């Protein structure tokens, strides 16, 4: 079955760190770029970060650049998001999403598979 | 950063009605525009890619059009199961961005 399963969310204090994981199955993981998208409670979707299939190219949204690091381990079919210097406005459900094309040009990217998400709460 | 502005923010509609949601981009993004549906307590689901290309398994009543800075998602003959939030997403320029969403309520 083609699926994505996120883990690693939880409650963390402001200024703290957390590492999210996304386990992929049912497709050739290394062939596809991957992304993280988040959704604050009751709010809309926000693009967070993306990484190419090889892992050599990474991209970040303005609100997380310099604090978050995306990475992947293609031998384990797993995507990661290392989050540092967390703030209250980082509180959200974090979704892992698969890019729907093997084309490397980012202008062709769209999300054809989403995980169920993992909740990150930043609060003292 | 490219800003996507959707209209309306909210719409209450009756079954079988035709619905049009607009997404305007602050810069030209060609056809690098995708649409997603998110039902309550569910993950988003891809509806339309590249502004107008249909997705396998998505009902044919969903269609998209537009290019450049103005895009439209049309739902013909609305069904009760279409109650959801709808989001446009641009990949024409980094960072990629989403519209603020349009919530559809079925009367």
């Amino acid at each position: 079955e083609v699926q994505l399963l996120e883990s690693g969310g939880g409650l963390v204090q402001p200024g703290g760190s957390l590492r999210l994981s996304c386990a992929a199955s049912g497709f050739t993981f290394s062939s596809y770029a991957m992304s993280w998208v988040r959704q604050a409670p009751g709010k809309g979707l926000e693009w967070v970060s993306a990484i190419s299939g090889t892992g050599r190219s990474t991209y970040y949204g303005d609100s997380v650049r310099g604090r978050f690091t995306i990475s992947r381990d293609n031998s384990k079919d797993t995507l990661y998001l290392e989050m540092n210097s967390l703030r209250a406005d980082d509180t959200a459900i974090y979704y892992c999403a698969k890019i729907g094309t093997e084309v490397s040009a980012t202008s062709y990217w769209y999300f054809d598979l989403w995980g169920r998400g993992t909740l990150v709460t930043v609060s003292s | 950063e490219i800003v996507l502005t959707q209209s309306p923010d909210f719409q209450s509609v009756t079954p079988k009605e035709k619905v049009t949601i607009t997404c305007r981009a602050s810069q030209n993004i060609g056809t690098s525009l995708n649409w997603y549906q998110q039902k309550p307590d569910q993950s988003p689901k891809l509806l339309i890619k590249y502004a107008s290309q249909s997705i396998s398994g998505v009902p044919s009543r969903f269609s998209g059009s537009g290019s450049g800075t103005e895009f439209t998602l049309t739902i013909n003959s609305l069904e009760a199961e279409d109650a959801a939030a709808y989001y446009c997403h641009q990949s024409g320029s980094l960072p990629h961005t989403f519209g603020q969403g349009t919530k559809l309520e079925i009367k």
Side-chain angles (χ1 to χ4, degrees), chain B residues 42-55:
Chain B
Q42 293 187 18
S43 304
K45 171 188 171 184
L46 179 66
L47 289 179
I48 299 289
K49 65 180 181 181
Y50 305 146
S52 62
Q53 291 189 20
S54 59
I55 302 300

Side-chain angles (χ1 to χ4, degrees), chain B:
Chain B
E1 172 177 309
I2 291 179
V3 177
L4 297 179
T5 304
Q6 291 182 229
S7 59
D9 290 331
F10 175 86
Q11 191 168 5
S12 183
V13 293
T14 56
K16 298 186 180 180
E17 194 173 334
K18 177 180 175 180
V19 172
T20 299
I21 299 171
T22 298
C23 177
R24 290 187 172 86
S26 59
Q27 299 176 38
N28 188 336
I29 54 172
T31 56
S32 298
L33 192 287
N34 312 299
W35 290 97
Y36 303 86
Q37 175 193 64
Q38 186 180 31
K39 295 182 178 180
D41 298 319
Q42 293 187 18
S43 304
K45 171 188 171 184
L46 179 66
L47 289 179
I48 299 289
K49 65 180 181 181
Y50 305 146
S52 62
Q53 291 189 20
S54 59
I55 302 300
S56 175
V58 173
S60 58
R61 63 182 179 274
F62 292 94
S63 63
S65 64
S67 67
T69 62
E70 187 151 339
F71 302 87
T72 299
L73 174 70
T74 300
I75 310 174
N76 283 299
S77 193
L78 194 79
E79 297 191 6
E81 67 180 22
D82 299 334
Y86 293 83
Y87 296 92
C88 56
H89 155 242
Q90 70 82 19
S91 58
S93 176
L94 288 161
H96 295 173
T97 51
F98 287 90
Q100 82 276 15
T102 294
K103 185 175 181 180
L104 282 188
E105 174 191 86
I106 311 299
K107 292 178 183 175

Side-chain angles (χ1 to χ4, degrees), chain A residues 31-85:
Chain A
S31 294
Y32 295 93
M34 298 290 296
S35 189
W36 290 97
V37 176
R38 69 184 181 183
Q39 186 170 34
K43 302 298 184 181
L45 301 172
E46 180 185 8
W47 182 85
V48 173
S49 182
I51 186 169
S52 63
T54 61
R56 284 197 287 266
S57 298
T58 57
Y59 312 91
Y60 297 94
D62 293 343
S63 62
V64 306
R65 188 176 293 111
R67 299 188 299 123
F68 290 11
T69 301
I70 191 171
S71 62
R72 63 191 296 160
D73 186 337
N74 287 345
S75 69
K76 295 182 178 179
D77 291 349
T78 302
L79 175 72
Y80 302 100
L81 186 67
E82 185 78 37
M83 304 185 295
N84 298 315
S85 303

